[in-house]
Amino acid sequence: DVKVTQSSRYLVKRTGEKVFLECVQDMDHENMFWYRQDPGLGLRLIYFSYDVKMKEKGDIPEGYSVSREKKERFSLILESASTNQTSMYLCASSFARGTGSFETGYGYTFGSGTRLTVV
Amino acid sequence: AQRVTQPEKLLSVFKGAPVELKCNYSYSGSPELFWYVQYSRQRLQLLLRHISRESIKGFTADLNKGETSFHLKKPFAQEEDSAMYYCALRGGAQKLVFGQGTRLTINP
């Protein structure tokens, strides 16, 4: 069974702490993504990566950074956590456009999410 | 710019009634459209893609380029259809843009 694994299901951190959210995929996908999911706002893209050591800002990158040192791992970093970063964080991965089988297509595979609470 | 709009945050229908979840998009090129579903306590998963023209769990969705819509339909709702549904679009880039989501509740 293919998987995207997020290291923590629930996290509680204090304001000002540096927070690391880890995501690992075992599907040899080129693309990896970090979204946050908030009621009424849907999924908003924070950062994404097309390849190792490559990253691009999404729609809401402020207050976040990312790291992709290996193809299978994509880390989201909150440099100094704030209460407005309390949210559900979803990691996803996909094949790059033009690669992979048609059946897997260009859809994402999501992790189960990390619910982060900043107090 | 790429944008996806799901006008209904909440939708409630009775079991056996038809269901339609609306999705409108904004994109100047040829889009790829998807529907994702999240059941209670489960991860977000792909429901269907417009490119494959498939029916999954009785749901279908037709891309209407003239109306820039990709509405999700099912003729007879079942209780297990209760979930959060997201419409998503991929334009020229690799990333998906999601709508705000619609929470569907099927009443017995």
Side-chain angles (χ1 to χ4, degrees), chain A residues 4-16:
Chain A
V4 176
T5 303
Q6 294 184 232
S7 55
S8 303
R9 187 75 177 98
Y10 298 96
L11 275 179
V12 180
K13 296 292 182 179
R14 294 192 181 278
T15 300

Side-chain angles (χ1 to χ4, degrees), chain A residues 64-78:
Chain A
Y64 303 94
S65 62
V66 290
S67 173
R68 192 166 182 200
E69 296 297 318
K70 294 184 178 181
K71 188 176 185 179
E72 67 269 20
R73 186 180 296 272
F74 192 37
S75 303
L76 179 69
I77 304 155
L78 285 68

Side-chain angles (χ1 to χ4, degrees), chain A residues 13-58:
Chain A
K13 296 292 182 179
R14 294 192 181 278
T15 300
E17 277 193 78
K18 191 168 186 176
V19 181
F20 293 85
L21 303 183
E22 305 287 345
C23 176
V24 177
Q25 52 96 2
D26 63 1
M27 296 165 284
D28 202 32
H29 283 168
E30 292 83 8
N31 299 335
M32 296 189 75
F33 307 85
W34 276 106
Y35 286 84
R36 61 178 285 177
Q37 182 183 29
D38 299 289
L41 297 177
L43 276 70
R44 293 179 293 167
L45 182 63
I46 305 171
Y47 267 97
F48 58 105
S49 171
Y50 295 152
D51 201 352
V52 176
K53 296 190 185 296
M54 177 273 171
K55 60 185 178 184
E56 286 199 27
K57 294 180 179 179

Side-chain angles (χ1 to χ4, degrees), chain B residues 57-96:
Chain B
K57 300 184 179 182
F59 284 98
T60 59
D62 291 320
L63 177 60
N64 186 323
K65 291 187 177 181
E67 296 183 358
T68 59
S69 68
F70 188 56
H71 303 325
L72 184 67
K73 300 177 183 179
K74 184 170 183 176
F76 306 104
Q78 299 173 296
E79 288 185 66
E80 54 265 35
D81 296 328
S82 293
M84 193 75 180
Y85 291 80
Y86 291 96
C87 182
L89 173 151
R90 174 152 52 200
Q94 305 269 359
K95 62 182 181 179
L96 284 176

Side-chain angles (χ1 to χ4, degrees), chain B residues 9-76:
Chain B
K9 287 187 178 180
L10 303 170
L11 183 62
S12 182
V13 302
F14 286 102
K15 178 181 174 182
V19 174
E20 182 178 47
L21 287 80
K22 297 188 186 303
C23 172
N24 290 92
Y25 67 89
S26 174
Y27 180 63
S28 57
S30 292
E32 295 175 59
L33 275 299
F34 304 80
W35 277 99
Y36 282 80
V37 60
Q38 189 170 30
Y39 302 103
S40 180
R41 294 186 173 82
Q42 294 186 28
R43 65 183 65 196
L44 201 59
Q45 57 187 284
L46 179 65
L47 180 61
L48 54 78
R49 306 163 289 175
H50 93 270
I51 195 170
S52 55
R53 293 182 169 274
E54 57 203 342
S55 175
I56 303 293
K57 300 184 179 182
F59 284 98
T60 59
D62 291 320
L63 177 60
N64 186 323
K65 291 187 177 181
E67 296 183 358
T68 59
S69 68
F70 188 56
H71 303 325
L72 184 67
K73 300 177 183 179
K74 184 170 183 176
F76 306 104

